[in-house]
Each structure stands twice: as C-alpha cells, then as structure tokens.
Amino acid sequence: MGKAEPPARRRLFRVQRSAGDGSAQIRTGPFSCKRVFASLPHMERGVAKVLGGDPKGNNFLYTNGKSVIIRNIENPAIADVYTEHPHQVIVAKYAPSGFYIASGDVSGKIRIWDTTQKEHLLKYEYQPFGGKIKDISWTEDSKRIAVVGEGREKFGAVFLWDTGSSVGEIVGHSKIINTVDIKQTRPYRLVTGSDDNCTTFLEGPPFKFKCTMSDHSRFVNCVRFSPDGNRYASAGADGQIFLYDGKSGDKLGTLGGEKAHDGGIYAVSWSADSTQLISASGDKTVKLWDVGSGTAVTTFNLGSDVLDQQLGCLWQKNHLLSVSLSGFINYLDKNNPDRPLRTIKGHTKSIQCLTVHNADGRLNIYSGSHDGHINILHGENDEILGKGHSNLVSKMMVDDADRLVTCSMDDTVRYTDLSKREYSSNEGLSVQLVLLKDKKKLFTLDSLGYEPEAAAVHPGGGTVAVGGADGKVRLYSVQGNTLKDDGKVLDVQGPVTDMSYSKDGAFLAVTDEKKVVTVFTVADGYTEKNEFYGHHAKVVCLSWSPDNEHFATGGMDMMVYVWTVSNPDKRIKIPDTHRLHHVSGLAWLDANTLVTTSHDACVKQWTLKI
C-alpha cells in the first residue's frame, strides 16, 4: 500500500539509524514516525519552570519527566523529544551557538547533546554535584557552563563545557540555589538567587565571589541579565523585581515600586533590545515592563483559577510565552491582554488510553490521562470543558450517538456530547459487570466468581466477551436488557489484559500477561485461529485495523507489533515506540496510520507500509 521510497531516501534512513543510538524518529523498515504530539511541561505549584530559547529564535525548550521537549515557536505542532536522561529532567538550555543543548536532572547529571542531528548524539556528560539541577547558563562563546541547584556539599558549579574543568567557585549562599545567569558580554559576570533570600554577584573567569545582595524578603526565583549586559533583574517570592548594574552589581532600583506583583514572581525574560522585560507571577498575571521608567506597560490576565498561576515565561523575537500551573503554554497578545493569541494544550501526566472518531470527515484523536484529563487532537490540542473525572481514565470509546464514553478509576462512566465538548452526565460504578444503554444502567452481574479485567461487545450487539484474571474469556448473550451467561469459556495463556472484536465482528483478539495474543474465529463457534508471539513482556493493549486483516498490539517492552490475521509470521515490529515507557494505548486513523500513547504524556502518529 502506497508508493515505495526512492532508493536515495532509503539509504538516508539507513544512515540515520546506524549513526545514532536508536532515538531517531524516522527509521528503516515499513514504518516511520510521522508526527509527535508533545506533552506539556511538568509543573509543580510554587516551583518556577524554566523555558529555554533557541538563539536563532526558532524553537523553545522545556522538560517533562525524563524528556526534553523541543518545539517550533511558530508552529508548536512541530516537536522533537529527547529521551536519554535516566532520571527526571528539570531544566534544558541551548548553547548560544545553537549547536548544543545542556540538560540537567534530579540526580545532578548534566548531559550536553547535539541539536543538528535527529539522533541528538551525546557530546559530554558531567556530574558537577549530587542533587537536583535547577538552572543552567552558558557564556556567550558556548565554552563555559554554570549550573545551580540542590547539591549536598555545594549548590553550584562553573566548568568548561569540553573538559568539565572548574572555572571558578559559586559560593555565598546558605541554602539551595534556584537560578543562575551569566552576562552575555565581556567582562563576564555571574549572578545567582537562592532560598536564603539573597543574590550573589561573581566576577570572572575564573569566577570569584564579589558580594551578596539581601534586598528580597523571600526566596529568589529568577535572575536574568539583559542581552546588552548593562543590567540584570532579580525576581522573588515576595512579589518584587530589583534591577542592578550588570558590570558592578550596584542596585539601580525596582520595577513597580514597592511591589511588582500581588503574588510571588517565578520568572522574568528580557526583550532583545534590553529596554523591556516580562514577569510571570502566582497572581495569575504576566506583566510587560518598561525598564527605563520602571512601570508596567501591559498586564496580561490569564484567568482566575489556581491552575492559572504563571510559573514561567520567555520573550523570543516577537513571541511572548508564559506557562500556567496547568501546563498550558500561552502566546500573549499585547493588543488584547485578556486573551492569549493561542494556548497550547495537551497532557502533563501519563496517558492511559485513546480512541479515534470520524466527525464529518475529520478525524479526531481523544486521549485520557492519569489525572483524569481528556484531550482532543485535531491538528492542535484542545480539551473537554467542565468538571471531568477525578482519577485515571482507563478506557474510552465513541458510541453510535457521537458521545464519548469514558470509564475511570473514580468509579464513574461519563457520556460526553462531542458536539458540545463539555462533560455531561456520569453513572456510578461500584459493581463488577454492568450493562449500559442510552446512559442507563440496565443490568448488573455481581458475585462473578472471577475477577474481570477486560470486556468487548460484538459489533452486532448480541454478545459480550469478558476476560478474567484467571486466563479465561467468558461469553454472555445480550437478551433484551439482561446479560445471560452462555456457559462458553475460552482459554488463553494467562491473565487477560485487553480484548477487542474486529470491526466486522469476524474475530476476537485477546492479549494476556504471558506475552501472547490469541485470535478466535467467531463464526466457527470461537475456535482458536492463531496465537501470535513476539513481545518480550506483558501485552497490554490492542486495536484492530479498519481492514479487519491486521491488528496492532502494544506491550510493556515498549514495542508495537502490527500482525496479519492469516499469517502470524507476517508482522511489522516497531521497537522503542515510546523510548522510556510502555505503550498504553493504540488506535488506527486509517489502514496505514497508527496512533500510540504512553506514560511519557506524548501521542505519536505512525505511517505503516502494510
């Protein structure tokens, strides 16, 4: 299906894979990763989020879990994900050259990696101290790096990027250091801000402590030099922004007088011409400041909910970005401060399930996450409004009335009218097997004598198959408003993890904990057609292709297999589908396009040559 790749391009794909470490998104073989719908930044209340900017102005950076996400600032749907850290990554920053990114994790590891190749080859790795790295800054020649955070013996270090040799000592603080910046013009200066309410000023290189400033009355969350190096700003949990001379460290004044914001300030970012800066605050606003007069030119109001607190910001070319506690990324509009130009939505927590629905010829992808959030993908991310599930969304599908039916660990099933995109009614679930129709609970089966793990309804509506933790599948007949046990039991190799009928109802596929997929032929009284082997760990999800001849399975081994019903040996293997976590959900957009989800909070779209 589809045209073959030209030989030259096939060769390029082979070179890409052999040169890299497996992290390339385009690989050889009958599949390619067409698109990544990236996760949002991981956010914590009261903790600043650092956004990194590409010196060329094209991309911006943030972190979520063990991933560093690179997004195109003009078109954030274009994204790349770096997944080589073994621990949670906190911060990532471009080198001023644009050729490398330095990223730091909770263990104190710094990885410096290439940005020009898709494989993002590792250049150097260092451990400047043992503990969480909270901020990173490069010198303008891309040769020295300062890192700060929650070290045990020390809270910061400055070193040469290519040898790791120290080029000074960051001292002067009694508590963890939250933020660091280096002046991008010579003579170099370095400034830090800490939980001890102080900032320190260092001259160098090699960097030596010069003085401490104790102007803030609470934690210092962010320090940033202006691009021309003439000034630097410090922002704190006390809602104040102080300005200092970039060369001497002398205090010049404040922004906004006594207080710049009504809440704590988590981030500041300067304009390219050094005359203005933006500040992000827990008071749910971002302010645009004229530095010369010390006054706010514009106040951007981002909402009234706790999740609208602003914990990070970035000024890049003409784009003013801020990050809400919800993880949403806001593109601020100077002409309309009460409404962002656009808001990038998505998931911040692990995705558990997904489904695909064709609405008037337009394919929408619905995904549900660990925190009960449901997202809609249709080119850009969107969300369902209102009060939704309060816990993990475990399964979802769209019914004949175009309602999204979602089942959650909060013991409810919800029916959501997709035309309104607003949460509607829910049914409580406290029993084991329930027959629902038209939002009504028709029938319940209690005291089953086994633990049901998965269920599937035949497309004809007359049969329900229920898979148990005992490795058996039981068949029930739908008779009016009741379920009747047919007394028929199908055996599989282990505890059932997922099951589904083919679209035409001809086959039932069952996955289990013993790494096996079993397919039964419905018309032959559910005789076993084939068993499919290949996964190295428990198989957790499956989805049938619209052609009814192929189905995909995802496992704890991070692999996806695309199987051919009539020939178990004919298969497509997609290794490292999501490099850090198992595949949690699968759905087909069409017979050649597969969508996968995982605990990395990303959605990936794959093109297959079947």
Side-chain angles (χ1 to χ4, degrees):
M1 296 185 186
K3 283 163 48 180
E5 294 290 347
R9 193 161 174 212
R10 280 207 302 271
R11 280 200 300 276
L12 173 64
F13 286 1
R14 279 201 289 275
V15 169
Q16 280 185 327
R17 187 168 73 162
S18 62
D21 54 4
S23 61
Q25 289 179 348
I26 298 177
R27 303 183 177 99
T28 52
F31 65 88
S32 62
C33 185
K34 183 182 178 184
R35 194 169 181 186
V36 177
F37 299 96
S39 67
L40 294 177
H42 170 76
M43 307 299 289
E44 292 180 63
R45 189 170 180 180
V47 178
K49 191 68 185 180
V50 177
L51 294 180
D54 167 12
K56 297 183 180 70
N58 300 326
N59 302 319
F60 65 100
L61 287 173
Y62 57 83
T63 62
N64 185 321
K66 297 175 184 176
S67 302
V68 178
I69 292 99
I70 307 168
R71 294 187 90 151
N72 183 288
I73 201 160
E74 297 286 347
N75 180 9
I78 299 171
D80 193 5
V81 184
Y82 177 79
T83 56
E84 297 301 314
H85 275 273
H87 304 285
Q88 182 188 354
V89 200
I90 302 299
V91 59
K93 287 278 192 73
Y94 273 96
S97 68
F99 297 138
Y100 293 96
I101 288 170
S103 49
D105 64 29
V106 293
S107 75
K109 278 243 169 49
I110 283 273
R111 291 178 71 89
I112 301 166
W113 40 279
D114 173 83
T115 63
T116 60
Q117 303 293 316
K118 199 68 176 171
E119 298 86 0
H120 301 310
L121 297 175
L122 179 68
K123 187 75 173 171
Y124 303 108
E125 184 179 64
Y126 302 112
Q127 178 122 22
F129 51 81
K132 184 190 291 186
I133 290 172
K134 301 195 74 173
D135 203 4
I136 297 169
S137 185
W138 294 74
T139 51
E140 47 79 33
D141 58 6
S142 300
K143 290 182 177 174
R144 301 168 193 83
I145 299 175
V147 299
V148 298
E150 300 180 13
R152 296 180 185 92
E153 294 83 27
K154 57 180 183 176
F155 305 123
V158 203
F159 53 88
L160 291 171
W161 88 295
D162 55 352
T163 64
S165 303
S166 175
V167 283
E169 202 176 0
I170 295 179
V171 295
H173 289 295
S174 59
K175 293 185 178 177
I176 63 171
I177 304 176
N178 298 314
T179 177
V180 63
D181 204 27
I182 296 174
K183 186 159 81 81
Q184 294 297 292
T185 55
R186 293 174 186 266
Y188 289 149
R189 299 289 185 263
L190 186 151
V191 64
T192 60
S194 165
D195 273 7
D196 62 10
N197 306 349
C198 297
T199 60
T200 63
F201 189 78
L202 294 86
E203 296 177 337
F207 289 97
K208 293 189 179 72
F209 173 82
K210 185 189 178 188
C211 59
T212 297
M213 279 68 92
S214 306
D215 296 311
H216 286 282
S217 59
R218 295 191 62 198
F219 300 164
V220 182
N221 290 321
C222 188
V223 290
R224 293 293 181 258
F225 279 96
S226 58
D228 62 13
N230 291 338
R231 286 171 285 213
Y232 72 88
S234 71
D238 54 6
Q240 291 188 290
I241 300 173
F242 294 100
L243 293 174
Y244 302 88
D245 183 276
K247 190 175 178 182
S248 66
D250 295 336
K251 184 177 172 183
L252 300 176
T254 63
L255 295 182
E258 285 288 304
K259 239 182 177 191
H261 282 271
D262 292 333
I265 303 168
Y266 293 96
V268 295
S269 186
W270 289 82
S271 62
D273 65 4
S274 302
T275 64
Q276 296 179 308
L277 64 77
I278 54 172
S279 56
S281 170
D283 67 7
K284 311 174 188 70
T285 70
V286 172
K287 289 188 179 182
L288 170 60
W289 299 91
D290 176 75
V291 176
S293 66
T295 56
V297 179
T298 309
T299 299
F300 303 93
N301 298 296
L302 277 306
S304 56
D305 191 85
V306 168
L307 292 175
D308 297 319
Q309 292 182 0
Q310 301 302 299
L311 302 183
C313 61
L314 177 69
W315 192 325
Q316 185 145 300
K317 285 189 173 175
N318 299 321
H319 298 288
L320 277 64
L321 305 187
S322 74
V323 188
S324 305
L325 176 56
S326 62
F328 291 176
I329 301 165
N330 311 293
Y331 282 63
L332 306 176
D333 186 354
K334 292 182 190 175
N335 299 317
N336 187 0
D338 294 331
R339 187 188 177 104
L341 288 165
R342 70 194 302 184
T343 300
I344 310 303
K345 299 177 181 179
H347 290 289
T348 59
K349 300 282 181 13
S350 61
I351 303 175
Q352 303 291 327
C353 58
L354 86 161
T355 192
V356 170
H357 177 56
N358 191 329
D360 302 322
R362 188 181 188 185
L363 284 167
N364 291 331
I365 302 166
Y366 297 90
S367 51
S369 62
H370 191 83
D371 55 359
H373 183 81
I374 293 175
N375 198 53
I376 311 164
L377 278 170
H378 48 82
E380 283 212 359
N381 284 286
D382 208 346
E383 62 174 342
I384 292 174
L385 302 173
K387 187 167 173 53
H389 289 291
S390 59
N391 205 332
L392 181 154
V393 183
S394 53
K395 208 77 173 174
M396 54 171 55
M397 57 151 311
V398 178
D399 68 10
D400 295 338
D402 285 346
R403 292 175 303 212
L404 183 67
V405 186
T406 52
C407 180
S408 168
M409 295 286 279
D410 64 8
D411 293 335
T412 66
V413 172
R414 281 183 177 270
Y415 292 83
T416 301
D417 186 337
L418 292 180
S419 63
K420 296 177 182 172
R421 290 192 179 164
E422 193 170 340
Y423 287 108
S424 48
S425 64
N426 68 78
E427 289 281 348
L429 280 185
S430 54
V431 288
Q432 289 183 300
L433 192 55
V434 183
L435 182 65
L436 295 152
K437 185 179 180 182
D438 295 331
K439 301 191 192 178
K440 293 187 177 65
K441 200 185 295 183
L442 300 180
F443 187 73
T444 60
L445 271 176
D446 231 340
S447 307
L448 293 173
Y450 67 95
E451 192 177 335
E453 295 288 346
V457 180
H458 189 274
T463 306
V464 175
V466 181
D470 56 0
K472 298 183 185 300
V473 176
R474 293 162 177 85
L475 299 176
Y476 297 85
S477 297
V478 181
Q479 298 186 353
N481 292 340
T482 63
L483 279 177
K484 180 178 178 293
D485 190 341
D486 286 350
K488 189 168 183 63
V489 178
L490 314 175
D491 287 310
V492 294
Q493 297 294 325
V496 175
T497 54
D498 199 10
M499 59 198 307
S500 179
Y501 282 98
S502 57
K503 312 292 183 189
D504 60 2
F507 303 107
L508 173 67
V510 184
T511 63
D512 64 49
E513 288 189 13
K514 299 292 186 184
K515 305 176 279 195
V516 184
V517 189
T518 311
V519 173
F520 300 92
T521 305
V522 174
D524 292 343
Y526 289 87
T527 56
E528 186 180 301
K529 181 170 179 63
N530 273 318
E531 287 183 335
F532 299 79
Y533 297 86
H535 282 284
H536 302 322
K538 180 166 78 173
V539 192
V540 293
C541 55
L542 76 90
S543 179
W544 280 91
S545 165
D547 67 9
N548 298 302
E549 173 62 10
H550 300 90
F551 64 94
T553 56
M556 298 293 283
D557 51 10
M558 296 179 278
M559 289 191 206
V560 165
Y561 279 95
V562 180
W563 307 95
T564 305
V565 175
S566 56
N567 184 359
D569 296 326
K570 188 182 177 186
R571 63 198 186 189
I572 297 172
K573 174 184 172 183
I574 309 178
D576 286 335
T577 313
H578 294 257
R579 279 184 58 81
L580 297 170
H581 304 279
H582 73 267
V583 180
S584 58
L586 297 160
W588 295 77
L589 288 178
D590 56 50
N592 291 299
T593 311
L594 186 67
V595 184
T596 62
T597 61
S598 176
H599 290 193
D600 60 7
C602 295
V603 178
K604 290 188 178 182
Q605 187 173 319
W606 303 86
T607 301
L608 307 171
K609 295 189 188 113
I610 295 177

